[in-house]
Amino acid sequence: PMAELALTTSALVVDNGGGAVKHALATAKSPDVTLNCTARPSKDRTATQLVGNDVRSSTHVAGLLTSRPFERGYLVRWDVESEVWASSVLKGRSPIDHVLLLTEPPLNFPELSAQQAEVVFEHYGFPGYRSVPSAALSMHGSLCSTSSGSGVPSPTLEAARACGAGIVVDSGFSYTHSLPVFQRRVVGQAVKRLDAGGKVLTNYLKELVSYRSVNVSDMFHVVDACKEEVCRVCKEGAVSALQACAQKGGGSQVVQYVLPDGVDRKVGRVKSQDSEDSHVNAVAKEGEQPSPAEMKRRRQEEEATIELRSEPFMVPEVLFRPMDIGLNQLGVAELVASSVASLPLEMREACLSNVVVCGGNAAISGFKERLELELAPFVPSGQECHVRLAPPDPVTSAWHGGAAMARDKGTFYPTIITKRLYEEEGSMRVLERMKAASSW
């Protein structure tokens, strides 16, 4: 019985993304974040396999053979996923003591949803389970938030929040989705997808850097960390940013990034000219020549430094202009407009007035502002369009929304599927029940 399950178990919330897993009990204040992959050095097949966050902190900065459970945004390799979960999600936890709230992609293939339920119940033995798209959880968290986040009071926005309406722009590792919600239900026929996410951006940055500077083609995790630190979205677009760079000679736009060497520098970093100048001036004031060790350090750092000029804003521009890399699909703003056009007329105004942005790419500086600017031409005269980042931050918003959902035991536990019901009716019938019972 659900009442007994609510008393004897606690809820484990897992936002299982293609790039990272965000996981913790629903009672926690924030989730743990673990890279969702395993890796092994290509030149040393006998080396210990790296799992999760050990991949990025490894001394092997290049030539890692990476295995991922997700392919094109869908979970297809549970053998890899189970290794990641063993070192993170289930470390120190017993599945039988928890019910599981787990994310899955929007409009997931029924066969993959059935496989996920099978793994949850038969392999791990969780007594209860529910799956929800991560974008829907971000919207749930946004609707539960006491603040509208728009900064300006808006009756239209508050009315949309009251009826559980909005559009979630979820730009993660594998893809970017525009997902409309009305009365707390995903409007399936209006969900749109762009096959570009963080992985595409990182590969594009690898190509640009390898072409004009240093060959980093086998350093995905290093370039991925570099992308997260230096990339930014130009509000007016890449063309105007390039013009501004040319007018200023490019000096103010150049970013120097020091690559890790796996020995003295385990992670890369942006080279700060201010700290470098202060160090040199301090040596000069003392009238001393730099020591041989210091000279060696500077030489090695200079050799490992790459200069990024237009790349930091050219790379995220792909999300708004996919044709830059030959991807004949709609950009993010057009994606949202296409979703709105697919909605019934009576839903459009409410959904468009409440656009919530989440996912790792939404954390790139300028992303929200650029989307708001590009959406403006698609907003009918007299209507409002409010774009805001999912609270408390776009990367972990789905987990926070799931935790808020799971903490409300009175409404959460009646919607989960028990292991007993799964054994009686099978995975496909159980999934139909879950979809019918869920507001999402």
Side-chain angles (χ1 to χ4, degrees), residues 85-331:
W85 279 27
S87 67
S88 55
V89 177
L90 298 177
K91 190 174 183 180
R93 296 190 182 109
S94 174
I96 62 173
D97 296 328
H98 306 284
V99 293
L100 179 66
L101 175 56
L102 179 62
T103 61
E104 66 174 347
L107 308 181
N108 196 15
F109 293 103
E111 294 80 7
L112 295 181
S113 294
Q115 183 187 38
Q116 181 165 292
E118 180 182 328
V119 171
V120 167
F121 287 123
E122 297 186 17
H123 178 70
Y124 289 114
F126 282 97
Y129 159 69
R130 181 180 174 187
S131 67
V132 182
S134 57
L137 291 181
S138 291
M139 177 58 79
H140 180 79
S142 173
L143 295 174
C144 291
S145 174
T146 55
S147 171
S148 65
S150 64
V152 179
S154 168
T156 305
L157 174 58
E158 292 305 324
R161 283 163 52 84
C163 72
I167 295 178
V168 185
V169 178
D170 182 6
S171 187
F173 182 77
S174 304
Y175 52 71
T176 298
H177 272 115
S178 173
L179 186 139
V181 171
F182 192 79
Q183 294 182 345
R184 295 180 179 266
R185 286 185 178 273
V186 175
V187 186
Q189 76 269 17
V191 174
K192 306 296 180 182
R193 168 172 165 146
L194 166 64
D195 294 326
K199 184 178 180 180
V200 168
L201 300 189
T202 300
N203 286 330
Y204 186 40
L205 181 57
K206 279 199 311 176
E207 291 180 11
L208 293 175
V209 172
S210 298
Y211 178 75
R212 64 173 299 273
S213 185
V214 178
N215 184 9
V216 292
S217 58
D218 61 348
M219 301 171 67
F220 180 90
H221 298 285
V222 172
V223 178
D224 194 52
C226 173
K227 176 200 70 180
E228 292 175 359
E229 192 167 358
V230 308
C231 280
R232 58 197 185 277
V233 176
C234 180
K235 185 176 180 180
E236 292 79 18
V239 174
S240 60
L242 284 169
Q243 291 173 346
C245 182
Q247 290 172 359
K248 297 177 181 179
S252 61
Q253 301 288 336
V254 175
V255 176
Q256 292 186 323
Y257 191 82
V258 183
L259 299 173
D261 60 7
V263 181
D264 299 318
R265 298 182 304 278
K266 296 293 181 66
V267 295
R269 64 175 178 85
V270 174
K271 191 174 184 180
S272 172
Q273 189 61 45
D274 293 339
S275 62
E276 196 71 18
D277 289 343
S278 63
H279 183 76
V280 172
N281 292 336
V283 172
K285 286 180 180 178
E286 296 174 3
E288 299 177 359
Q289 291 292 327
S291 66
E294 174 65 15
M295 292 293 291
K296 181 180 179 181
R297 183 195 69 81
R298 292 186 192 176
R299 185 170 62 254
Q300 289 177 338
E301 190 169 287
E302 185 175 346
E303 292 173 353
T305 300
I306 57 175
E307 286 192 349
L308 304 171
R309 297 178 181 270
S310 60
E311 292 90 345
F313 49 83
M314 284 181 64
V315 168
E317 190 67 20
V318 168
L319 297 173
F320 296 90
R321 299 195 309 179
M323 278 302 296
D324 285 358
I325 58 171
L327 187 59
N328 188 21
Q329 294 185 10
L330 299 175

Side-chain angles (χ1 to χ4, degrees), residues 37-41 47-52 55 64-67 83 221:
C37 64
T38 64
R40 195 183 299 274
T48 303
Q49 179 175 256
L50 304 168
V51 181
V55 174
L64 286 176
L65 296 176
T66 304
S67 298
E83 293 179 326
H221 298 285

Side-chain angles (χ1 to χ4, degrees), residues 22-105:
K22 282 73 71 178
H23 55 94
L25 296 179
T27 52
K29 291 184 178 180
S30 60
D32 296 320
V33 181
T34 304
L35 287 181
N36 200 2
C37 64
T38 64
R40 195 183 299 274
S42 59
K43 296 181 179 179
D44 185 3
R45 299 300 179 92
T46 61
T48 303
Q49 179 175 256
L50 304 168
V51 181
N53 292 336
D54 292 341
V55 174
R56 187 168 281 188
S57 59
S58 168
T59 57
H60 301 276
V61 297
L64 286 176
L65 296 176
T66 304
S67 298
R68 299 186 184 278
F70 279 76
E71 186 67 36
R72 299 184 182 274
Y74 298 101
L75 179 51
V76 295
R77 292 196 60 186
W78 271 102
D79 57 329
V80 178
E81 192 64 83
S82 63
E83 293 179 326
V84 176
W85 279 27
S87 67
S88 55
V89 177
L90 298 177
K91 190 174 183 180
R93 296 190 182 109
S94 174
I96 62 173
D97 296 328
H98 306 284
V99 293
L100 179 66
L101 175 56
L102 179 62
T103 61
E104 66 174 347

